[in-house]
């Protein structure tokens, strides 16, 4: 009888324990238990829909084991009763090229070890309707601060048990020809290996130091001149504010500091134009343009 009572108590605790208040679906509203990115795309991205399946508002948050590799938009937000939101997860271009160089073996097939997978975690917590309505009227930074504080409040017992989560693995594929089900393994391994090598070689020339084609050098100089003048003006005004704080008489300020920053005229000589064109077209000298 004692064993039956303990089993019934366990069943009751499972029934009374809060269930996960959300479900994850893909772009076609199918069930989602993992994520997949095609590295043959220019900017690999995947979409995930978070659906609130309760009659009360909740807040969700998306985390990953590689936060510097992905852009998640949005990464947290409140959801109204029975509401949903679509999240975009995109891979940074430089990270894509690193994955192409390391994630494939010499036969062009993805190495399948679990330790090479990135992982995502979707969490949720319940919130009351008053807090939900207050969030809707907040500015983005105010909302972010309020949500951060709310997550901290729920991180301790007994509220911690109400945080529900679901883990997702990120799988990488390479299907430049649109292979079956987007899987690289469905194609000829040698052909895939060639495509991967081509993508890696193309990515080597996509560095941030390479100057953009068709740059208007005169417009670039005018833009830099405007930024310089704005910085000079800001520096002068900041110095004036500091003198007000240090002066025994805050109402007394030298006219020199109160005067606006002088306007400077940039004279474009042939020598200056030639230097600017050379510096913007040469990756080695670009880092010295700011001096």
């Amino acid at each position: 009888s004692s064993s039956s009572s303990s089993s019934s108590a366990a069943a009751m605790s499972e029934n009374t324990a809060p269930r996960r208040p959300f479900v994850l679906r893909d772009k076609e509203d199918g069930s989602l238990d993992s994520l997949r990115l095609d590295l043959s795309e220019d900017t690999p991205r995947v979409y995930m829909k978070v659906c609130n399946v309760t009659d009360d508002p909740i807040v969700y948050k998306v985390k990953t084991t590689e936060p510097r590799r992905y852009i998640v938009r949005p990464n947290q937000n409140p959801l109204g009763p029975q509401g949903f939101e679509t999240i975009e997860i995109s891979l940074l271009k430089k990270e894509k090229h690193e994955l192409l160089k390391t994630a494939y073996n010499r036969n062009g097939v993805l190495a399948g070890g679990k330790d090479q997978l990135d992982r995502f975690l979707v969490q949720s917590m319940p919130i009351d309707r008053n807090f939900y309505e207050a969030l809707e009227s907040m500015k983005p930074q105010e909302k972010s601060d309020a949500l951060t504080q709310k997550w901290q409040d729920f991180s301790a017992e007994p509220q911690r048990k109400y945080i529900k989560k679901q883990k997702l693995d990120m799988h990488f594929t390479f299907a430049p020809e649109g292979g079956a089900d987007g899987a690289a393994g469905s194609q000829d391994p040698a052909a895939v290996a060639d495509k991967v090598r081509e993508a890696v070689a193309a990515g080597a020339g996509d560095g941030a130091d390479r100057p953009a084609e068709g740059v208007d050098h005169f417009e670039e100089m005018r833009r830099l001149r405007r930024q310089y003048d704005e910085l000079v003006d800001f520096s002068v005004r900041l110095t004036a504010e500091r003198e007000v704080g240090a002066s025994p008489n805050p109402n007394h300020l030298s006219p020199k500091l109160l005067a606006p920053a002088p306007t400077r005229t940039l004279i474009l000589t042939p020598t200056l134009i030639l230097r600017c064109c050379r510096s913007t077209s040469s990756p080695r000298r670009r880092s010295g343009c700011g001096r």
Side-chain angles (χ1 to χ4, degrees):
S1 61
S2 60
S3 60
S4 62
S5 61
S6 60
S7 61
S8 61
M12 289 179 62
S13 62
E14 291 179 359
N15 293 332
T16 56
R19 297 184 301 172
R20 187 187 301 156
F22 67 91
V23 295
L24 301 179
R25 302 192 181 279
D26 57 20
K27 200 173 182 179
E28 287 75 27
D29 279 336
S31 179
L32 190 67
D33 54 8
S34 64
L35 301 170
R36 188 177 299 273
L37 280 177
D38 183 3
L39 298 183
S40 66
E41 297 178 356
D42 184 50
T43 303
R45 56 171 54 90
V46 64
Y47 297 92
M48 173 177 64
K49 185 183 292 185
V50 182
C51 305
N52 181 4
V53 294
T54 70
D55 294 327
D56 297 305
I58 64 171
V59 171
Y60 74 85
K61 179 193 289 187
V62 182
K63 296 182 177 181
T64 177
T65 55
E66 295 291 342
R68 297 184 180 181
R69 180 173 288 175
Y70 302 95
I71 298 177
V72 181
R73 296 184 179 140
N75 68 329
Q76 67 173 353
N77 249 341
L79 285 179
Q82 304 297 326
F84 69 90
E85 185 161 44
T86 301
I87 302 168
E88 178 186 279
I89 302 174
S90 56
L91 181 67
L92 294 177
K93 198 168 186 178
K94 64 176 183 178
E95 296 292 336
K96 182 191 77 170
H97 296 312
E98 289 298 321
L99 285 171
L100 286 174
K101 290 189 293 186
T102 59
Y104 284 83
N105 61 27
R106 56 187 174 183
N107 293 325
V109 180
L110 261 178
K114 288 187 176 182
D115 56 336
Q116 296 174 348
L117 295 176
D118 295 340
R119 290 181 171 84
F120 283 77
L121 176 68
V122 182
Q123 294 178 303
S124 75
M125 65 177 174
I127 55 175
D128 59 67
R129 292 180 182 270
N130 292 334
F131 183 65
Y132 172 74
E133 293 174 358
L135 289 173
E136 292 298 307
S137 61
M138 290 182 183
K139 295 180 179 180
Q141 187 59 48
E142 294 176 346
K143 180 189 291 188
S144 177
D145 295 341
L147 290 178
T148 299
Q149 183 60 49
K150 181 64 73 171
W151 283 108
Q152 292 178 356
D153 296 341
F154 269 75
S155 63
E157 296 293 351
Q159 291 91 346
R160 184 186 300 178
K161 66 179 180 181
Y162 294 104
I163 295 181
K164 299 302 174 182
K165 59 189 71 175
Q166 181 175 345
K167 297 179 181 180
L168 300 167
D169 288 336
M170 175 66 78
H171 299 276
F172 302 108
T173 63
F174 191 87
E177 305 299 331
D181 298 329
S186 62
Q187 303 176 3
D188 178 34
V192 174
D194 292 339
K195 292 292 185 181
V196 170
R197 283 191 289 269
E198 291 175 6
V200 172
D206 288 340
D209 292 334
R210 189 178 67 179
E213 297 181 1
V215 172
D216 188 339
H217 299 289
F218 295 100
E219 179 60 32
E220 181 67 12
M221 285 190 293
R222 286 192 290 268
R223 183 184 67 83
L224 293 174
R225 183 78 261 175
R226 288 194 299 268
Q227 290 183 350
Y228 174 77
D229 289 339
E230 291 173 359
L231 288 174
V232 170
D233 183 68
F234 175 77
S235 177
V236 170
R237 295 183 182 278
L238 183 61
T239 303
E241 292 177 2
R242 288 178 177 175
E243 182 174 312
V244 170
S247 174
N249 183 7
N251 295 323
H252 175 71
L253 202 61
S254 63
K256 182 179 179 180
L257 291 177
L258 286 175
T263 303
R264 295 170 175 79
T265 304
L266 179 65
I267 302 176
L268 301 178
T269 64
T271 303
L272 179 60
I273 294 173
L274 182 59
R275 288 180 179 177
C276 181
C277 294
R278 287 178 177 175
S279 62
T280 35
S281 61
S282 174
R284 294 183 177 179
R285 299 183 58 187
R286 186 172 182 179
S287 59
C289 291
R291 293 198 295 268

